[in-house]
Amino acid sequence: MKHLWDISPVVSSRSPVFPGDTPYKQHWRWSIGADCPVNVSEITMSPHVGAHADAPLHYDAQGAPVGMLELEPFLGPCRVIHAIHGRPLITIDDLLPFLAGAPPRILVRTSMQAATDLWSDEFSAFAPEAVAYLADKGVLLIGIDTPSIDPASSKTLDSHQTILRHNMRVLENLVLDAVPAGDYELIALPLAFIEADASPVRAVLRSLN
């Protein structure tokens, strides 16, 4: 029986980013050789590459950076909900049948296979009304297997503004392809980047049994 699910995509130069954002690049500063005992690389990337946690600073000029966030929302019981319908928005109706007794972390699988090496503007996002509904039910964190909880074309970021109003946390770019719907323990801690608007996470789910 499986007890651990890695829900983070691999990160490489092929990892998709929003058009104009900084892709992953790696340069070897030192290499093992006659005069050097170690390999040391230099990495340049947006903190939104791969599985990541947004900070309020990402969508609020006065918001907290990711290194100042409490860790509790990123660690604890969660529920994975499947809403694989191909529509642009995840609505309250998509979530409502699966919320009875739900823990305070909700992850939504929207596709049969997460897009881990190709950018597309066509992905599912959260309807802001659904985010507000989850907040009213005591949800602390939402997650999704797409690049954003808002549509790619959005200029107002209504769902991000909703989590701001409700002091919720968010995970994006998860890979839930192999995860059955149900309850798990989530472990997805952001790094203590004290000035950053987001942080990569190595997100995993652990069986509760």
Side-chain angles (χ1 to χ4, degrees):
M1 180 178 177
K2 189 167 183 175
H3 294 286
L4 191 70
W5 288 260
D6 186 350
I7 58 170
S8 305
V10 297
V11 174
S12 73
S13 59
R14 297 186 60 185
S15 298
V17 297
F18 267 88
D21 203 358
T22 306
Y24 177 93
K25 294 180 182 178
Q26 182 173 322
H27 170 71
W28 290 104
R29 301 294 296 177
W30 298 331
S31 296
I32 293 175
D35 298 321
C36 182
V38 293
N39 289 320
V40 176
S41 62
E42 174 184 291
I43 293 173
T44 302
M45 60 180 279
S46 165
H48 301 269
V49 171
H52 64 274
D54 283 349
L57 181 59
H58 178 49
Y59 38 86
D60 175 15
Q62 306 304 319
V66 71
M68 294 293 292
L69 300 182
E70 297 292 334
L71 295 179
E72 283 80 1
F74 301 99
L75 177 66
C78 79
R79 178 164 296 176
V80 174
I81 295 174
H82 289 187
I84 309 172
H85 52 50
R87 295 193 296 271
L89 294 177
I90 305 302
T91 67
I92 295 173
D93 289 342
D94 294 321
L95 304 176
L96 193 57
F98 310 105
L99 293 179
R105 300 163 190 85
I106 299 292
L107 310 182
V108 179
R109 179 185 175 192
T110 69
S111 61
M112 294 301 295
Q113 184 171 7
T116 59
D117 60 5
L118 181 67
W119 174 260
S120 172
D121 287 345
E122 303 299 321
F123 58 79
S124 296
F126 275 95
E129 297 82 5
V131 178
Y133 183 86
L134 292 175
D136 289 342
K137 295 297 180 182
V139 171
L140 303 174
L141 175 144
I142 58 173
I144 197 166
D145 61 345
T146 68
S148 179
I149 59 170
D150 279 295
S153 60
S154 176
K155 302 301 182 185
T156 55
L157 298 182
D158 295 336
S159 287
H160 280 88
Q161 291 302 313
T162 302
I163 65 170
L164 176 64
R165 288 194 299 273
H166 292 278
N167 198 31
M168 300 170 74
R169 301 293 171 251
V170 61
L171 298 172
E172 296 168 331
N173 269 343
L174 302 175
V175 177
L176 299 169
D177 301 0
V179 182
D183 290 354
Y184 302 85
E185 179 188 20
L186 170 69
I187 306 167
L189 302 180
L191 300 174
F193 289 156
I194 202 63
E195 298 177 341
D197 57 291
S199 169
V201 298
R202 185 65 180 264
V204 299
L205 296 175
R206 189 158 58 182
S207 172
L208 294 175
N209 300 320

